Amino acid sequence: MKRVYNFSPGPAAIAQEVIQQAADEMTNWRGCGLSVMEMSHRGREFTEILATAKNDLRELMAIPDNYKILFMQGGAIAENAIIPLNLIGKKSQPATIDFVNTGHWSVKSIEEAHKYAKVNIAASSEDSGFNHVPARDTWMLTPDAAYVHICTNETIGGVEFDFTPDVGNVPLVADMSSNILSREIDVSKYAVIYAGAQKNIGPAGLTIVIVRDDMLGHALPICPSAFDWKMVDEHDSMFNTPPTYPIYIAGLTFQWMKRHGGVAAMEKNNIAKAKLIYDYLNSTDFYINKVPAANRSRMNVPFFLKDESLNGKFIAEAEQNDLVQLKGHSSAGGMRASIYNAMPIEGVQALVAFMKDFEKKYA
Amino acid sequence: MKRVYNFSPGPAAIAQEVIQQAADEMTNWRGCGLSVMEMSHRGREFTEILATAKNDLRELMAIPDNYKILFMQGGAIAENAIIPLNLIGKKSQPATIDFVNTGHWSVKSIEEAHKYAKVNIAASSEDSGFNHVPARDTWMLTPDAAYVHICTNETIGGVEFDFTPDVGNVPLVADMSSNILSREIDVSKYAVIYAGAQKNIGPAGLTIVIVRDDMLGHALPICPSAFDWKMVDEHDSMFNTPPTYPIYIAGLTFQWMKRHGGVAAMEKNNIAKAKLIYDYLNSTDFYINKVPAANRSRMNVPFFLKDESLNGKFIAEAEQNDLVQLKGHSSAGGMRASIYNAMPIEGVQALVAFMKDFEKKYA
């Protein structure tokens, strides 16, 4: 079976064991005579699949009991509206939301929040081309903000938080779409963690929301019921029909992670993978990455050929070597290697070997 | 390979050919070395999958050129909020929405609309236990309503529209979640058709919205961008990452329908399937269905055992015969056979044979 190394930023590589298990179980899930896609979400089989996925995620991230796990739809982009719709109701209107702006995904969150609240940009790295995370002591927070919003990994800039900020009693909300489950974090430092599943978890169409219980029950009257976290929680993520097949694949991924040492082992592997490629980037000026060491993303490694006229050749020859989806985001140009949990170290080794060969050939 | 006949109301049976093809293509889609789940939504492979699915749906339903096809998330329940958020902005506020209330799903739509608009119940069959569709000439419509909303098939009551209402110049909006693609309709009679995919189309987590182009561009400022139809259309259903795998399965289903004669052939088959079971119900008083013939749903056939103490035995013995998910909705009790497009006539024959045997045994 031909398989390629897939450096797509998302939807992204899924562990081969998971894909194989999904293929094996597709026509007849554990002898029940049905595909998971065909199961009633309220039947005993799917109820078990959902409960297991939730318990496994709780175990993997050590999510405290006072946090709810919600399986939702619409991705992080929809959640950018759903979060203010759920959280600003605690404050007198118009409420203020503090944002730390570290790149493309932060900007998306900020734009959407303007629909519902006053926005304060507490810190931003825009002036330096979004190439770092502003140090915590430079943030100008609003004392009575509804919440502080951060994006812990920016996939386009390749910039990742290397710290969990202390924001006092104001709820901390984090878009972790692109680095959830890739490193150990202390969930209790956050009020809300949200993530589209299509990077480290599974197929597109599933959004994970981890929310502290005191954040529930404050939705604005204009919040669609299907996106009111309290309603979703009260119905155990079945207020509307959940995206059952994506939840199943997410569950298989959680089990794959548990078999392979959990988040700690993933993090160790991610550090090794990132070191391989960044060490090489440090050693050459044929390729360029301008992010300071502390904020270099372990998940998304953007790099630029010094001679950009070689870009087309790089992509074409990489594909000939079964290394696909390396083209950078249209807004950034250059290249980007997304190396989420499911990318094996062999894939990164193959990429670095190719990059070295390419350098030798064209330098 | 054991396969059972799955009478689930949704998520529901998917054509066996589709499930088999999905299994075969899971690890390596057409030689590209990737599962569809892992493909970038912006890559050439998935772009082709999405475009083909859209074109096939347009062909199957004969959707006129001035209608847009949107692939969205959140199901019909989310869409119940998204529709007023997109449509009432054309009117001075508060706008009025006319509803025809034919059962459980109509009620859901009505409840959600109260968040955003004045609601007028133009007609209702609530007084008679939601057992029929009120005749068009009894509807009390509002002349300047933002739109008229109907649910063309009620899965719990088993009540289906047998006509397309003329509502003059007011836009007609239809929840077709449970009978889309099951019968030929004239799309041009509707302003908006929406449907969760998990009954006649594919896996849960995908919502199909078919919208006439003059309905775009009127979203309220509070409408989340990801649910603003104009934004979704302008980005070809990729304003946010779409539910790629459910779209792929929907596309396989559309191709399966085309191979098997399209909607006309599905309708013919659905008529034959429904006739089999309703003819038998007419012939006995061991089982009961109270819906008048004209409004009996071809998709969902609720029935009750005259002696309800036999309910448990019926379910258990049906399962022993590989006939699963026949239990009625908790609010209705009794039994329900959901026989969407993907249910072969052999499944309905097996069910009727079982029902006859059961009657002989216990009558």
Side-chain angles (χ1 to χ4, degrees), chain A residues 1-3 6 11 14 26-28 38-39 73-74 112 115-116 198 204 221-223 225 240-242 245, chain B residues 1-3 6 11 14 26-28 38-39 73-74 112 115-116 198 204 221-223 225 240-242 245:
Chain A
M1 180 184 78
K2 176 190 165 185
R3 290 275 295 173
N6 174 19
I14 292 175
M26 174 62 89
T27 59
N28 186 353
E38 303 175 286
M39 290 176 183
Q73 297 181 56
E112 197 69 7
K115 286 176 175 277
Y116 310 103
Q198 65 269 21
I222 56 166
C223 180
S225 305
N240 54 356
T241 307
Y245 199 77
Chain B
M1 182 184 75
K2 177 190 168 189
R3 290 275 297 172
N6 175 19
I14 292 175
M26 174 63 88
T27 60
N28 186 353
E38 302 175 285
M39 289 176 183
Q73 297 182 55
E112 197 69 7
K115 287 176 175 275
Y116 310 104
Q198 66 268 21
I222 57 167
C223 180
S225 305
N240 53 357
T241 308
Y245 199 78

Side-chain angles (χ1 to χ4, degrees), chain A residues 65-68 90 191 211-218 233:
Chain A
D65 289 345
N66 62 324
Y67 283 72
K68 307 292 190 177
K90 283 186 93 161
V211 53
R212 204 172 61 212
D213 53 13
D214 62 321
M215 299 291 113
L216 302 177
H218 310 289
D233 176 56

